[in-house]
């Protein structure tokens, strides 16, 4: 009955931990801003959901399951929160795996404690719902190790297969935890071997069974890691996933830097948790290394893999946390047993002191009885008590910081007003379907528009390794007729030689701020295919200065309650002398009366007229916002081009007509 009660408490604790982990993450999803990498991953997910093919069209430096994990939830739900919840689920699989490992190696208390520590350690907590950081792959691989431990202890080919499937899946998210490949293989093999003199004998007797198990393990891994690759272009996959990573190592390697320093700084940057982990290692693991060889080997292999990782970043280092959490779980259970022992000894000592009458026994007999109990309260026990107090004190001191970090209370986000202004400007001069290129993926995501799939990633690594050059950018711009290119960091212009000059030469408009530049209205020639579905306009020449050769009206129903887009396609016929004003007029179809008129400067006034050469074409896009009191009905739309000072409008024919008919719209209630 007691065992059943303990099991019920344990499983209720696990369920409560998982529910609390989900709840706390849901509560803080929108507090933390997206990181640079998350911006890339969001764009990748949107491009996949839009129907673009990875590797052939989308430049992506990760395996297929990585892409599917981003694209499928976006395709179904169309929002970042769906991706974050999937990442959380991946991460909590690692929490469950840590609970299992600490439980089978120590106790249920150690398991629950390890799960709590891993789930709520800030470096793991925050990255666990960040969009495809390292946490999902780390967690899934730890789950594979837990499955391998299950097989090592009880056998069963299904566990070996599940281990392989999980291992391949985790490495398909990110290759970072590759240490698990030899680790899991060693765990599978160790089931058939024994320490000591029988090692060679057992190895020879079990070599066929070992081969079978490794074949099952490898087959499972290949199903989830290798088979999906064959669904795509293998040459492109190799170049983007493997080739660029190898090149980046050569570019980023620095012989004067030691990764050991980064690793130590990270581990001891969590002083409370690290104090518990060190306690668990010293007083539990180190006393029986043969029993805990799997955990120790994991930690060593992780350290070696991180030591040789180039470049090593802080985002990679949570890979240590699952094993650290297990050691911390050991510590809590050890402390619990020690406190229980000391408390019992103190109780027994006090009880015996009261029960032993002064004259009932000799001093020797009394001393022997009290001495047995007193051994449990020796100086060594006092020293242990002090160590425990210091360890728990460090952890307790760090708990408020953990809570504050997880709630985003220590987060300092500086609002970039220039970027907000640039996004607002892009919304004014671009359609929702326009191609937009930006050197910052978070900024690009916030514009709610997509880049060419070839430019899904414009990272410094891609530029430095030669996988993104000026011809690549130009080809993507011209192929997709990108209306907007935003340069929001100096890196893009400085790292791609010639790009700022090319943009200035080939884009008519420029919305310039101190550090943020939005190039818009890509220039073209009459003989060049524009790729836009506009309606041709006849006799659209205004005074022989500039000609409207096409118009594109919003394909959605026109409503006075909502803004609608209009795009005008201009071609220069003679040099501009002034910044002309576009005048849009609506006339009632029945009465021919003017009911609405709006004026705006050509290209928002954000262009240099002398940079517009004769015969060059450019698209001017803007939004129309109708007054709410405008009656529903059919209206003719007219365009005039006027000078801002005299309001004299250019004629479009020999009769002095100044109004060009663009089309008819029906305004709904």
């Amino acid at each position: 009955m007691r065992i059943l009660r303990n099991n019920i408490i344990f499983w209720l604790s696990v369920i409560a931990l998982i529910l609390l982990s989900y709840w706390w993450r849901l509560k803080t999803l929108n507090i933390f801003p997206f990181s640079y990498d998350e911006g890339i991953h969001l764009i990748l997910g949107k491009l996949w959901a839009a129907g673009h093919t990875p590797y052939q069209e989308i430049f992506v430096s990760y395996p297929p399951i990585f892409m599917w994990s981003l694209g499928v939830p976006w395709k179904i739900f169309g929002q970042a929160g769906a991706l974050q919840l999937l990442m959380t689920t991946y991460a909590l699989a690692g929490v469950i795996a840590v609970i299992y490992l600490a439980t089978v190696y120590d106790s249920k208390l150690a398991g629950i404690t390890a799960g709590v520590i891993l789930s709520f350690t800030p470096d793991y907590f925050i990255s666990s719902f960040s969009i495809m950081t390292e946490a999902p792959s780390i967690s899934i691989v730890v789950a594979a190790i837990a499955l391998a431990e299950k097989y090592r202890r009880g056998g069963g080919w299904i566990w070996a297969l599940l281990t392989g499937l999980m291992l391949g899946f985790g490495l398909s998210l990110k290759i970072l935890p590759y240490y698990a490949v030899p680790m899991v293989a060693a765990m599978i093999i160790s089931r058939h071997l024994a320490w000591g003199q029988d090692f060679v004998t057992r190895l020879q007797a079990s070599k066929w069974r070992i081969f079978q198990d490794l074949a099952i393990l490898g087959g499972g891994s290949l199903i989830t890691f290798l088979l999906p690759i064959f669904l795509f272009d293998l040459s492109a996959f190799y170049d983007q996933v493997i080739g660029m990573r190898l090149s980046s190592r050569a570019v980023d390697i620095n012989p004067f830097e030691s990764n050991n320093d980064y690793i130590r700084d990270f581990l001891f940057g969590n002083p409370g948790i690290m104090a518990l982990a060190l306690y668990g290692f010293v007083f539990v693991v180190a006393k029986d290394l043969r029993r805990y060889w799997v955990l120790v080997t994991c930690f060593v292999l992780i350290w070696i893999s991180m030591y040789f990782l180039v470049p090593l970043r802080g985002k990679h280092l949570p890979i240590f946390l699952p094993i650290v959490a297990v050691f911390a779980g050991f510590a809590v259970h050890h402390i619990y047993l020690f406190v229980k022992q000391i408390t019992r000894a103190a109780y027994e000592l006090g009880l015996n002191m009261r029960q032993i009458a002064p004259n009932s026994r000799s001093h020797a007999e009394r001393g022997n009885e009290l001495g047995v109990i007193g051994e449990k309260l020796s100086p060594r026990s006092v020293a242990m008590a002090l160590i425990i107090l210091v360890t728990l004190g460090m952890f307790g001191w760090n708990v408020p910081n953990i809570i504050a970090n997880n709630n985003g209370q220590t987060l300092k986000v500086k609002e970039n007003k220039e970027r907000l202004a640039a996004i607002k400007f892009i919304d004014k001069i671009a359609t929702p379907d326009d191609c937009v290129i930006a050197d910052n993926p978070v900024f690009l995501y916030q514009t709610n528009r997509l880049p060419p799939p070839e430019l899904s990633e414009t990272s410094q690594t891609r530029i430095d390794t030669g996988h993104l050059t000026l011809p690549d950018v130009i080809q993507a711009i011209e192929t997709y007729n990108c209306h907007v290119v935003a340069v929001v960091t100096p890196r893009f212009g400085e790292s791609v030689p010639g790009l700022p000059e090319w943009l200035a030469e080939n884009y008519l408009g420029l919305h310039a701020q101190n550090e943020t530049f939005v190039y818009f209205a890509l220039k073209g020639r009459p003989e060049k295919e524009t790729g836009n579905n506009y309606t041709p306009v006849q006799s659209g020449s205004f005074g022989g200065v500039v000609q409207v050769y096409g118009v594109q009206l919003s394909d959605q129903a026109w409503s006075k309650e909502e803004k609608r887009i209009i795009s005008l396609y201009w071609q220069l016929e003679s040099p501009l002398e002034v910044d002309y004003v576009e005048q849009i007029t609506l006339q009632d179809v029945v009465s021919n009366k003017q009911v609405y008129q709006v004026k705006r400067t050509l290209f928002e006034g954000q262009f240099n007229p002398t940079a517009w050469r004769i015969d060059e074409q450019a698209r001017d896009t803007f939004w129309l916002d109708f007054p709410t009191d405008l009656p529903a009905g059919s209206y003719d739309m007219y365009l005039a081009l006027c000078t801002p000072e005299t309001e004299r409008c250019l004629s479009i024919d020999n009769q002095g007509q100044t109004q060009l008919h663009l089309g008819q719209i029906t305004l709904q209630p």
Side-chain angles (χ1 to χ4, degrees), residues 270 354 424 617:
N270 300 277
R354 291 192 298 269
K424 186 176 181 180
Q617 298 174 342

Side-chain angles (χ1 to χ4, degrees), residues 463 468-471 474 491-502:
I463 295 172
L468 182 62
T469 62
L470 179 60
I474 294 173
R491 174 188 57 79
F492 202 37
E494 295 171 357
S495 301
V496 184
L499 179 60
E501 293 79 9
W502 190 91

Side-chain angles (χ1 to χ4, degrees), residues 78 228 248 363 445:
S248 69
H363 290 289
Y445 173 74

Side-chain angles (χ1 to χ4, degrees), residues 585-623:
T585 303
L586 290 186
Q587 288 187 4
D588 188 278
V589 172
V590 178
S591 65
N592 288 329
K593 291 183 178 180
Q594 176 180 311
V595 296
Y596 170 78
Q597 188 177 84
V598 64
K599 298 179 181 179
R600 61 178 298 275
T601 306
L602 200 64
F603 296 100
E604 298 293 334
Q606 304 284 319
F607 78 107
N608 180 5
T610 61
W612 197 359
R613 297 185 180 91
I614 294 175
D615 288 339
E616 284 184 335
Q617 298 174 342
R619 170 166 64 91
D620 189 13
T621 295
F622 52 94
W623 295 75

